[in-house]
Each structure stands twice: as structure tokens, then as C-alpha cells.
Amino acid sequence: MRALIYLERGIHSVTVKMPVIRTLSKVAKQALLNPGCGCQPITVAVRTISFSPRQVTSDASFHSVSFSETDHPKVLITGGLGQLGVGLAKRLRKRFGNKNVILSDIRKPPSHVFYSGPFIYSDILDYKNLREIVVNNRITWLVHYSALLSAVGEANVSLARDVNITGLHNILDIAAEHGLRLFVPSTIGAFGPTSPRNPTPDLCVQRPRTIYGVSKVHAELMGEYYHHRYGLDFRCLRYPGIISADSQPGGGTTDYAVAIFHDAVKTGKFECNLKPDTRLPMMYIEDCLRATVEMMEAPADTLSMRTYNINAMSFTPEELAQEVQKQLPDLEVTYDIDQVRQAIADSWPMNFDDSNARNDWGWKHDYDLPELVQTMLNYIGSDSRIAQTN
Ligand SMILES: NC(=O)C1=CN([C@@H]2O[C@H](COP(=O)(O)OP(=O)(O)OC[C@H]3O[C@@H](n4cnc5c(N)ncnc54)[C@H](O)[C@@H]3O)[C@@H](O)[C@H]2O)C=CC1
Ligand SMILES: CC(=O)[C@H](N)C(=O)O
């Protein structure tokens, strides 16, 4: 079995002990049980009391947005320097204005990102720092992208558990406390070998065999629980493998479908780490980011669920290679199977049923396989031509 390469992306383990302020908790509990002091109703932070995540006033409506509809939302994106965050920030900034969308991560941003709009350091394991950012910037929408993906997660289970599960708890509590609209992506990886694979519907058995998948099922369930219990405006899309030209994937099982384009243009050769007939659902990044914004903007009454599958296409490495070879006939593809990634892929959906997203809030993809291949090759080809002339 070939060892998984742990992609070091500046991720470091941080152990944060959440303050369990027992005394304060007792005082808060007492005050809430005996409100006859003539004071204002107390709003108590999620973490300071143990018996209720939030004191909800009777007129609170968390299903409507907490900012005036004429204002723009103020958006915070966590884990924003990964494959998806910068593109999402660009799209949201066009829509809501540059200063209204803050990218955050624990890595140092490249200068083109740093100078393109607000960027802030934020470790999602640091609850107080997260809260400070949300309060100081009057955040109303939170897009939670920080995560360790499937292959990297298997190579570092305890870090994946911290980031994907403990980090999510921080995000949920902050979002509930401050009445935020919260988007957390899930994935085809939230399904497992006992799920129906062709197609995979929204509601079915979910018994994933990766820490990534387990953490994403946990996120779906916790988000939906906070929605039903506390009125949190939680929204979640299960993304397929996302393919992008100008950003690199962060260590997943579907990464081959990005790498093939770069290798095809640069070397004319590609070594694939999945078997030629491994079928997985995939999507071009523009469709993924548009779906995300559409889901965030969908009126609450159109959402019959809070977690939806979305899909665009499904293909195997062989089918993708054949489509690329229509443009680059000299491309040579060989296979050297990574057993860890292959086992993961073999347990994931082959086709994704996204009919609920299409019916409820009008989801529709733009890119099928031929358009995806053309667009990727155009982008990477012109990029490498520019690099050669410089
Ligand atoms: N890219 C894809 O194909 C898919 C992505 N998704 C989900 O979309 C989200 C974004 O994905 P990508 O951008 O591809 O991920 P990525 O792996 O490229 O980026 C994740 C980012 O999280 C950051 N991060 C790690 N630990 C952190 C911490 N303690 N505090 C703050 N940030 C931290 C990393 O520095 C990295 O920039 C993830 O939740 C992922 O599960 C879901 C399905 C498919
Ligand atoms: C599909 C995903 O969630 C991600 N790209 C991965 O392969 O881990």
C-alpha cells in the first residue's frame, strides 16, 4: 500500500480548552430562574451556561435574517485560503461589496489575495477569537469552509477530529449566539459503502468509513438539530468533487480530476491514483460557488430541508481522460493505484440525486463534462502560455 502523502498546508494542531465557567454558569442559571430583579432579559452566551445553548426571547425570529433586508450581509469565510474560499469571496464581493466579505484562515495569504479585500487570521479552534471577529465586524453570514479533507484526514485523524468536529462546535455556538445565517458544506464523502450508490438520494443510510465523512455527517446532524431546537438558520449543501483551474485541492480523493489538467498541459503525461472505472460525482467550481450563493439567498420557506445534495456530472478517470484527449490527443495516462484513496472512492456515491435541490430552490448546473474540459484547458493553457512568455 502506498503511503499517503500528508500535505502540509500550514495546518497545526491547537489544543484549546473551552472555558467551562462553572461559577458564572451557576450565577447565570440563578438569574434566569429568578428574573424578578427588574433587569433587562439576560442574553447569555452559549458557552456560559450548561442547561440551554441560548436564551431565546419570545419575539426572536431566527428564520429571518438578522440584518435589514436593504443592507448587505457581512460575511465571514473560515478556511478561506483553500480550493474554494478565494473564489467564493470574489463572487460575494462582487455582489455585496469588497468590504462586506472577510476571508479568514490560519495560513499566510498570497499577496494577490491579501490586497484584493479584507483578510483576517482566524483559527476556528479559538472560540474567543472567533467571537471577537464576529462581534467587531458585525458579521451576519458565516461560511464555514475550514476542514481537513478525506485523504489528509485519514493521514491525521486526531487533527481532523479537532478541526472538523471541535471547530464545528465553536462555529455552531457562535452562529447561534449571534443569530447568523450559517453555511457549512458537506460532501459525497458523508455516505459510505452501505448507502445506495447509484444514485444516492438525500435521505438514506449514512455510515461513512472516513473521519472526514463521519465529521460531515456530524455537521449535518448538529446543524439541523440547532435549526430545529434553537432556530439557527443553518444551510448545508453536499458538494461532489470540485474541479478548479486557479486553485489547488487540499488533499482529497477527487483531486486526480484537477491534477490531470495541469499534467496534461505541462507534461503531456498523467499518472492517475484511482482505477480507470471509478465513477464519482463531480462539479466545476463556478457551479459550486453559484449554488452556494443561491442556497444562502434562498427564502427560508423554499427550503423543505436544510441539507441538500447538489450535482452536475459523474465520470470515471477513463472517461475524463478520453474527453481531455479530444483536445490533447498525445496525452498519455497511466495508473498507479493509491489503495487508501481507492477504498474511499469505492465507498462513495457514483451518481448523486439532487432532485430536491432542483425542485425546492431551482438548482441547475451549467457545466457538463465537455464544457468543463474545454474551460479547464483554456484556462490552464493560457496560464502556462503567459508563464512561458514571462
Ligand atoms: N473541494 C472539494 O472538492 C470539496 C470540498 N468540500 C468542503 O468544502 C470546504 C472547503 O473545501 P476546500 O476549499 O476544498 O478545502 P481545503 O482543504 O482546500 O481548505 C481548507 C482550509 O481550511 C484551513 N484550516 C485548517 N485548519 C484550520 C483551523 N484550525 N482554523 C481555520 N482554518 C483552518 C486550511 O488552512 C485550508 O486553507 C470544506 O469544508 C470541504 O469539506 C466538500 C466537498 C467537496
Ligand atoms: C469530495 C470531497 O469532499 C473532497 N474533494 C475529497 O475528495 O475529500
Side-chain angles (χ1 to χ4, degrees):
M1 186 188 294
R2 211 170 65 171
L4 264 180
I5 299 167
Y6 174 53
L7 302 176
E8 178 54 64
R9 305 198 52 183
I11 299 166
H12 54 86
S13 179
V14 182
T15 311
V16 179
K17 294 268 173 268
M18 285 310 152
V20 184
I21 312 169
R22 288 220 174 80
T23 322
L24 189 54
S25 169
K26 261 192 205 157
V27 173
K29 205 169 185 173
Q30 227 30 62
L32 288 158
L33 291 172
N34 305 301
C37 60
C39 324
Q40 292 295 311
I42 304 167
T43 306
V44 182
V46 176
R47 296 302 171 104
T48 57
I49 54 171
S50 55
F51 65 98
S52 164
R54 179 156 73 151
Q55 295 309 302
V56 180
T57 55
S58 57
D59 62 345
S61 170
F62 296 104
H63 294 272
S64 62
V65 285
S66 58
F67 52 89
S68 150
E69 290 292 353
T70 53
D71 287 344
H72 286 314
K74 281 281 298 220
V75 189
L76 174 67
I77 304 174
T78 69
L81 296 184
Q83 187 189 2
L84 306 185
V86 173
L88 183 69
K90 201 169 161 195
R91 187 173 272 265
L92 289 171
R93 283 173 181 160
K94 255 192 209 146
R95 195 154 176 73
F96 301 133
N98 233 35
K99 66 179 190 332
N100 290 317
V101 180
I102 302 175
L103 265 179
S104 72
D105 208 301
I106 53 173
R107 295 193 280 144
K108 198 169 167 186
S111 39
H112 74 275
V113 173
F114 188 71
Y115 293 111
S116 66
F119 177 86
I120 203 162
Y121 171 88
S122 170
D123 182 339
I124 56 154
L125 295 173
D126 185 345
Y127 176 78
K128 281 174 74 179
N129 172 245
L130 262 179
R131 186 166 63 187
E132 195 177 317
I133 292 169
V134 166
V135 168
N136 287 351
N137 295 285
R138 305 183 70 240
I139 297 299
T140 55
W141 285 13
L142 207 166
V143 176
H144 179 47
Y145 269 173
S146 308
L148 261 64
L149 271 58
S150 57
V152 164
E154 288 312 288
N156 197 339
V157 172
S158 72
L159 181 58
R161 201 184 52 191
D162 284 351
V163 174
N164 295 9
I165 298 180
T166 308
L168 173 90
H169 293 170
N170 289 343
I171 293 288
L172 283 171
D173 285 350
I174 298 275
E177 262 179 44
H178 298 281
L180 309 185
R181 180 169 294 184
L182 174 63
F183 180 84
V184 180
S186 185
T187 162
I188 49 173
F191 297 93
T194 50
S195 308
R197 296 182 60 216
N198 194 8
T200 306
D202 280 302
L203 295 176
C204 63
V205 170
Q206 283 180 270
R207 286 290 180 278
R209 296 260 174 92
T210 59
I211 185 64
Y212 178 58
V214 168
S215 70
K216 289 294 187 178
V217 177
H218 178 75
E220 295 175 7
L221 292 175
M222 285 296 287
E224 290 182 8
Y225 175 75
Y226 269 55
H227 171 67
H228 294 300
R229 179 81 204 267
Y230 306 116
L232 173 67
D233 192 351
F234 171 78
R235 298 171 185 227
C236 174
L237 294 178
R238 294 194 191 102
Y239 295 159
I242 306 302
I243 298 166
S244 56
D246 60 350
S247 59
Q248 291 299 321
T253 304
T254 58
D255 293 8
Y256 90 86
V258 175
I260 188 173
F261 292 100
H262 293 279
D263 290 4
V265 171
K266 281 177 200 139
T267 66
K269 291 188 170 70
F270 177 62
E271 187 177 271
C272 185
N273 56 19
L274 294 182
K275 290 183 192 162
D277 60 350
T278 310
R279 182 172 299 283
L280 290 167
M282 300 277 184
M283 182 178 282
Y284 184 54
I285 189 166
E286 287 299 313
D287 274 340
C288 165
L289 301 179
R290 182 170 54 78
T292 305
V293 178
E294 285 176 9
M295 165 69 160
M296 281 301 267
E297 293 192 313
D301 61 6
T302 62
L303 304 176
S304 66
M305 310 186 300
R306 288 287 158 159
T307 303
Y308 287 90
N309 294 350
I310 49 162
N311 197 22
M313 63 193 101
S314 258
F315 54 72
T316 65
E318 194 168 35
E319 288 165 357
L320 177 58
Q322 279 164 5
E323 195 64 39
V324 176
Q325 279 160 342
K326 286 184 187 165
Q327 313 286 326
L328 300 172
D330 294 335
L331 170 65
E332 281 173 37
V333 180
T334 53
Y335 294 87
D336 182 12
I337 309 310
D338 176 331
Q339 298 299 338
V340 174
R341 284 186 165 88
Q342 187 64 49
I344 295 173
D346 288 342
S347 74
W348 281 4
M350 299 163 81
N351 275 298
F352 224 25
D353 175 355
D354 61 357
S355 49
N356 288 316
R358 289 176 192 265
N359 292 335
D360 282 5
W361 47 276
W363 163 241
K364 195 173 171 299
H365 70 277
D366 281 339
Y367 291 80
D368 282 305
L369 183 56
E371 296 84 49
L372 166 85
V373 169
Q374 190 68 63
T375 309
M376 287 291 290
L377 291 177
N378 286 349
Y379 189 98
I380 295 168
S382 64
D383 217 35
S384 73
R385 275 193 295 277
I386 292 167
Q388 273 163 23
T389 52
N390 284 338

